[in-house]
Amino acid sequence: MKRRTFLATVPAVAVVNKLQIENNENVFSCSSYNWRTFFKREGKVWGEDLDFDLTQFSKSGFKNIEYSITSPEMAKRLISVLKKFDIKMPSIYVNSVLHVEGEEDKSIKTILEIAKVVRAYGTKIIVTNPNPIDWNKEIFKTDEQLKRQVKALDKLGAELRKMGIKLAYHTHTTEMLAGAKEIHHMLQNTRPENVGFCFDLHWIFRGSRDSEIAVFDIMKMYEDRIVELHIRQSESGVWKEEFTVNGDIDYNKAAEYLGAKNIHAHIVLEQSIEKESTENFTAISAHKEGLEALKACFGT
């Protein structure tokens, strides 16, 4: 599904530098992961007090959130607070274990239970990054593990499709190991109607040892599978506090390419911080800056 209902049609004859936004409405989402990293630096814990968290979130100007959800119970609690702040949740993020025998069915069951809850609140995309073997080590999965995972991913996507929800496959760095065999196997061997691609430009960049050409090669290769973009910028390989169009990745080039191809992806800001990041912004000010940069690059 290339077209989101909240994005207007870009004329096929026009080469644009934007993904135009219907009625100039703020349709950009923001990931909860960002806020967890900023809160940690500020001595706070994201998720400890949802009312406080979403009060801060609202001050950034974002009207939509992509939250990382682990259970249907968590989804219910979250939605009750989101309603108070009139914050929408077009997409959510859920981890999964799909390469281990017996675990894939548990993950599918949990995600489908979560989907039943969030669907009623308007969620249209569920993003999953099948867990690596080890989050802290560069270990690629065996061919047999990938065969198991791809079947589970397609099965999950088919079940979500029956519910009117699109599954979007997401990657971090380990999927780029061994000739990027994991990302290629997932997208070459799942059905497009069941599994879309959550294209996280910066994790592709980092997974390919800070290669911008790899980012654009992956974009061209799987452009017809992209349903969502995760947006982050770095400078000399280090995550910036605020999203900017210029940096290690040329986002103007990305916006121009996607616009010219008439690809209307849901856009989620995931501008997070790491140990080496500068300390010039608060969580709120960084996200205000990022939202304005998103509008300048991808919308009006």
Side-chain angles (χ1 to χ4, degrees):
M1 187 190 308
K2 291 181 183 178
R3 299 173 188 266
R4 307 308 309 150
T5 57
F6 40 72
L7 290 177
T9 301
V10 177
V13 296
V15 178
V16 297
N17 192 34
K18 296 178 179 180
L19 303 185
Q20 296 172 348
I21 304 303
E22 186 175 56
N23 299 324
N24 295 330
E25 191 177 3
N26 175 14
V27 297
F28 299 110
S29 283
C30 184
S31 171
S32 62
Y33 175 70
N34 319 3
W35 291 81
R36 190 182 311 129
T37 66
F38 274 93
F39 268 38
K40 183 178 180 180
R41 187 173 74 179
E42 296 171 9
K44 301 190 286 284
V45 179
W46 176 267
E48 200 170 59
D49 182 341
L50 284 175
D51 282 278
F52 176 78
D53 296 346
L54 295 175
T55 296
Q56 301 298 295
F57 183 91
S58 296
K59 291 178 181 178
S60 70
F62 278 94
K63 304 296 183 183
N64 305 299
I65 194 167
E66 180 174 284
Y67 215 97
S68 181
I69 296 177
T70 58
S71 69
E73 293 74 27
M74 179 185 180
K76 291 174 185 176
R77 290 194 302 271
L78 174 63
I79 289 170
S80 68
V81 183
L82 290 176
K83 288 179 178 178
K84 291 167 56 177
F85 291 88
D86 194 26
I87 296 172
K88 306 304 181 186
M89 194 164 60
S91 61
I92 66 168
Y93 183 99
V94 187
N95 280 324
S96 58
V97 179
L98 302 179
H99 67 284
V100 178
E101 185 176 3
E103 293 298 317
E104 73 270 43
D105 289 337
K106 293 179 185 177
S107 285
I108 290 172
K109 181 175 183 291
T110 297
I111 292 174
L112 293 178
E113 288 173 350
I114 292 171
K116 292 175 184 176
V117 176
V118 299
R119 176 180 59 176
Y121 194 61
T123 297
K124 297 295 184 184
I125 301 174
I126 291 182
V127 178
T128 192
N129 194 122
N131 283 9
I133 293 173
D134 190 318
W135 284 104
N136 300 308
K137 296 179 181 178
E138 291 193 333
I139 305 173
F140 55 81
K141 293 167 185 167
T142 67
D143 286 3
E144 289 306 310
Q145 288 172 323
L146 292 180
K147 289 176 184 177
R148 180 181 301 281
Q149 178 172 294
V150 81
K151 289 180 182 177
L153 195 66
D154 198 70
K155 178 182 177 181
L156 173 59
E159 292 300 315
L160 288 174
R161 182 160 61 92
K162 294 175 185 176
M163 302 170 65
I165 294 175
K166 186 69 177 184
L167 178 64
Y169 169 64
H170 180 276
T171 66
H172 286 101
T173 58
T174 56
E175 294 84 356
M176 293 296 288
L177 295 173
K181 71 171 185 174
E182 182 165 344
I183 184 172
H184 293 313
H185 193 66
M186 294 307 107
L187 293 176
Q188 293 286 340
N189 294 280
T190 52
R191 287 169 286 185
E193 62 268 30
N194 292 339
V195 182
F197 184 27
C198 177
F199 182 34
D200 190 313
L201 285 77
H202 201 276
W203 281 122
I204 297 295
F205 175 80
R206 185 163 280 187
S208 58
R209 302 299 188 264
D210 293 0
S211 170
E212 188 189 46
I213 64 170
V215 172
F216 285 97
D217 285 346
I218 291 289
M219 181 184 293
K220 291 175 184 177
M221 188 175 297
Y222 296 114
E223 61 187 42
D224 61 335
R225 303 292 289 270
I226 297 172
V227 296
E228 180 167 313
L229 301 175
H230 276 191
I231 303 295
R232 180 183 298 149
Q233 185 64 279
S234 64
E235 195 168 282
S236 300
V238 177
W239 294 350
K240 292 172 63 69
E241 293 177 275
E242 79 288 15
F243 170 69
T244 58
V245 172
N246 297 314
D248 290 332
I249 299 172
D250 184 346
Y251 277 95
N252 273 328
K253 180 180 177 181
E256 181 177 351
Y257 182 87
L258 295 169
K261 292 287 186 174
N262 207 21
I263 296 169
H264 295 185
H266 179 44
I267 296 175
V268 180
L269 183 68
E270 200 177 52
Q271 193 64 39
S272 308
I273 52 175
E274 53 190 343
K275 184 178 179 180
E276 297 84 3
S277 300
T278 59
E279 296 189 32
N280 300 320
F281 291 86
T282 65
I284 294 171
S285 64
H287 285 89
K288 282 183 176 180
E289 291 282 329
L291 179 56
E292 292 308 308
L294 281 180
K295 290 176 181 178
C297 184
F298 292 103
T300 54

